[in-house]
Structure formats: C-alpha cells, structure tokens
Amino acid sequence: MQKIFHAVALLATFVATLIFAGCQSAEPEKLDAYLMVFFTDEDHSLHMAVSTDGYTFTALNDNKPVISGDTIAEQRGIRDPFIMRAPDGTYYLALTDLHIFAQKEGLRNTLWERSEKDYGWGNNRNLVLMKSKDLIHWSHSLLRVNECEGFEDIGCAWAPQMLWDESKQAVMMYWTTRIGADINKVYYAYMDSDFTRFTTSPKPIFEKPEGKPEYIDADIVQGSDGKFYMHYVGYDKVAGILRAVADHPTGPYTYLPGYVDQELKECEAPNCWKRLGSNTYVLMYDCYGIKPANFGFLETKDFKTYTNIGHFNEEGGLMKTTNFDRPKHGAVTYITRRQAQELLDFWKK
C-alpha cells in the first residue's frame, strides 16, 4: 500500500510539475509588428495597415475601409483616427465624428452643422469611441463632449488621442477643442473602464507661451528618459510641428522653442512611436500642404535632434507602402506578427 501511495504521490508531483512548467512557459506573445490606422478624404472611413519591420506597411482589405464612417459616426463620416494598446492587450480606438464634404455628398443641407460665423470650421461636437480585444470585433459609443459642464457651447471636438496612465490605471484622453469660435487648444480627461464616458472634468493640458497661442493635434509619448514629450501643431509660421516636455502626462509642460519638422509646406497630425527593440522614436505627420498629400517621417533618440527619413515611397526614403497612397492623419500601435497575419487573412475573405 505504501508503494502504491508513493507512486501516486510521485505521479501527482510529476503532473503538477508539468502544469507549473506549462504555466511558466505561457508567457505573453512578443509585440513584434505594427498596426497603422488612417483615413482618406475620399471615404471618411477607417483604414488599417500592418508592418512587420516598421518601415513597409501593407493596407488591409486592399485599402478599402475596414470600418465605414457612415456606420459609426453621427455625421456619417470620421477623421483623425487614433489607436492605443493598453498593458492588458485591449485596443482602444478614438476618432473625430466629422464629415467635411457632407453637404456636397447630400448628407447635410448645410456646409457645417452650425453657423461657421458662430462656431468656426467643422463645428462638430462628438468623438467616436471603440474598444476591442482582437482588432476585428469592436464595441462602439459616441462621446458627446458638449454634455460636459462648461463645454455646452464648444465649437469642435477633434483629433482624440490617448495614453495609458500607470499612476491612474486608466486611459487618459486628450483632444482639440475650442469654445464657440475662440482659438483651438488641447484638453484632457480620464476615461471609465467601459470606455464610454469621462470620469474627470476636461482641463487644458498646455498653454502655449510664445508666438500664436492657438495649437491643435497634440501627441504625447514617453521617452527613454522617462519624460513625456508632446508634439503638437502650431501656427507661428505655416502650420508645423512644435514640442513641449513634462515629468507627468498631464503636465505641467515646458515649451521647447523651434519647429521640429523640416517641411516647406503645411503639416499636421504628429504621431510619435518607438521602433521595437531600439531607443529610436519615429515622428510621423500628415503633409497636407504638398500635392499629392503624404506622410512625413523623422527619427530621434533624444527629442532634441531629428533626422529626416523622407516621405512614404520617396526616392531615397526609408518608409514604404505596398498598396496605398495619400493616407490622412495616421497613428501607429504595436501588435504581434500572429495578429498581423490574422488581420491580413481575415480581410482577404
């Protein structure tokens, strides 16, 4: 009997060891690929592209929309998509609810929702929010920024972006707003766990101290030094990319003088992302002032010096596309190679 018990005990120990070893080996998959989101003026819808090296991107669905703007936006069109991956692997997607050609396409009787004299260009009030675990099936809601106290008369809600605030264990959203027809600047608030509403009152994130005070399209990334670098669009000359730096994502931000971009024409929509496995950061932005429009790219390690690596598909440039051109207002996050292949396969159906 003792031998049988001993044998059973040994077997149990062996099985437990196997189970423990299996649990130990079930580590999270390595993030080793990239996902870009963007839109086009032609369809005001969401497009996606994947890359395994961070240099060459291939659009899903043969560059047809993966989510049609008229299915998710009150204005029947979206702009300015931004995507973020949280530490638990959840993906968050935020977009501007705005169709700038709605009147021309018979979707609205007026150029804008409201008077341009009173509310300025665009004058939308909603942001579109979506959340997913697999990048295919998404929850969906509209965030009506004008329902926040003090924001009832906003002139616009544009270009939402996000980061995961470790100290709050929550998504921090920041976006461009103006009150009535006043100047544009960026506000921030924290999101609830369902990603449907603010849990804090919106506050300005930065007041530009030099040059023209108006600014839009903020993008915040944490550098290798632990500091938070905000790139944004200023108008001291033609629209271009400026910087500020802080010790915390909500600031206070210190203004850093001098334009970062090296463009001769207008650009906007900066998005900064780190090359996986390196200390190099890529600053991508929308060169809407050139014809045809394109994305421009810089690389930096210290957020002081930036190296120009060209536009998409430019002779001598490093960044390429395989099946699309003229993207608008893009953002990049991280995925696995398995996810990249699953997305390519899904959208071939």
Side-chain angles (χ1 to χ4, degrees):
M1 180 66 71
Q2 285 184 334
K3 288 183 179 179
I4 294 174
F5 177 80
H6 185 63
V8 171
L10 284 174
L11 179 61
T13 302
F14 178 67
V15 171
T17 301
L18 286 177
I19 292 172
F20 178 76
C23 290
Q24 289 291 94
S25 64
E27 296 177 356
E29 288 186 88
K30 180 181 178 183
L31 295 172
D32 52 6
Y34 305 81
L35 175 68
M36 178 186 293
V37 295
F38 59 95
F39 82 100
T40 73
D41 273 334
E42 288 75 18
D43 57 37
H44 275 66
S45 294
L46 179 69
H47 294 246
M48 291 183 175
V50 296
S51 173
T52 56
D53 63 5
Y55 291 94
T56 300
F57 286 82
T58 297
L60 304 179
N61 201 26
D62 198 26
N63 199 35
K64 295 186 287 292
V66 298
I67 299 177
S68 179
D70 62 8
T71 65
I72 58 173
E74 194 166 75
Q75 286 208 13
R76 308 276 299 279
I78 62 91
R79 299 176 70 83
D80 317 328
F82 183 85
I83 192 165
M84 183 201 81
R85 182 187 185 278
D88 69 353
T90 301
Y91 288 89
Y92 294 88
L93 184 62
L95 317 94
T96 304
D97 184 335
L98 176 63
H99 200 313
I100 67 170
F101 302 132
Q103 182 184 41
K104 183 172 124 181
E105 296 188 8
L107 301 173
R108 187 167 55 225
N109 293 325
T110 57
L111 179 61
W112 304 120
E113 279 193 313
R114 298 166 290 165
S115 161
E116 185 173 4
K117 177 184 176 183
D118 295 331
Y119 293 100
W121 189 93
N123 67 55
N124 70 310
R125 288 165 281 191
N126 301 335
L127 301 175
V128 180
L129 306 181
M130 306 182 77
K131 181 179 175 181
S132 176
K133 279 287 190 182
D134 62 6
L135 297 165
I136 294 172
H137 304 92
W138 295 88
S139 67
H140 168 253
S141 62
L142 291 181
L143 178 58
R144 303 185 186 281
V145 179
N146 64 304
E147 293 182 357
C148 296
E149 185 177 354
F151 288 75
E152 295 85 356
D153 205 36
I154 60 168
C156 70
W158 293 339
Q161 299 206 183
M162 300 164 284
L163 59 79
W164 179 260
D165 188 333
E166 282 289 341
S167 66
K168 301 281 189 181
Q169 288 292 293
V171 174
M172 177 186 134
M173 179 174 287
Y174 51 100
W175 70 99
T176 299
T177 281
R178 64 173 177 265
I179 307 301
D182 199 3
I183 65 170
N184 295 303
K185 57 185 177 181
V186 175
Y187 291 74
Y188 76 93
Y190 286 91
M191 301 300 299
D192 69 333
S193 58
D194 291 331
F195 197 55
T196 60
R197 64 182 183 86
F198 296 141
T199 59
T200 62
S201 298
K203 297 179 181 178
I205 199 167
F206 177 60
E207 298 290 344
K208 186 168 176 288
E210 296 182 19
K212 295 179 181 178
E214 182 171 32
Y215 74 102
I216 66 171
D217 290 0
D219 176 272
I220 301 169
V221 65
Q222 189 171 20
S224 299
D225 58 2
K227 294 183 180 296
F228 292 85
Y229 291 89
M230 180 169 71
H231 297 91
Y232 61 93
V233 177
Y235 299 94
D236 295 345
K237 54 172 187 175
V238 298
I241 314 300
L242 292 162
R243 297 160 300 156
V245 62
D247 292 325
H248 188 273
T250 61
Y253 279 88
T254 300
Y255 173 78
L256 299 175
Y259 277 76
V260 170
D261 70 273
Q262 300 170 27
E263 305 295 328
L264 299 177
K265 299 288 186 178
E266 299 90 347
C267 59
E268 63 182 4
N271 176 232
C272 192
W273 41 279
K274 191 177 182 181
R275 290 204 185 277
L276 292 166
S278 79
N279 288 321
T280 299
Y281 291 79
V282 179
L283 179 62
M284 176 176 77
Y285 46 86
D286 185 337
C287 300
Y288 70 92
I290 62 176
K291 304 299 179 188
N294 203 340
F295 282 180
F297 297 90
L298 304 172
E299 287 186 335
T300 185
K301 290 184 178 180
D302 57 10
F303 298 95
K304 296 175 184 177
T305 58
Y306 294 75
T307 301
N308 189 347
I309 58 172
H311 302 124
F312 264 145
N313 302 319
E314 186 174 65
E315 184 176 354
L318 299 179
M319 305 300 294
K320 307 294 181 185
T321 68
T322 64
N323 62 348
F324 67 97
D325 59 10
R326 294 179 297 118
K328 294 289 297 175
H329 202 122
V332 171
T333 192
Y334 308 116
I335 59 175
T336 66
R337 289 181 180 238
R338 175 187 58 81
Q339 287 176 309
Q341 191 58 55
E342 286 176 351
L343 286 168
L344 287 167
D345 292 343
F346 178 85
W347 287 107
K348 282 181 182 175
K349 296 177 183 177

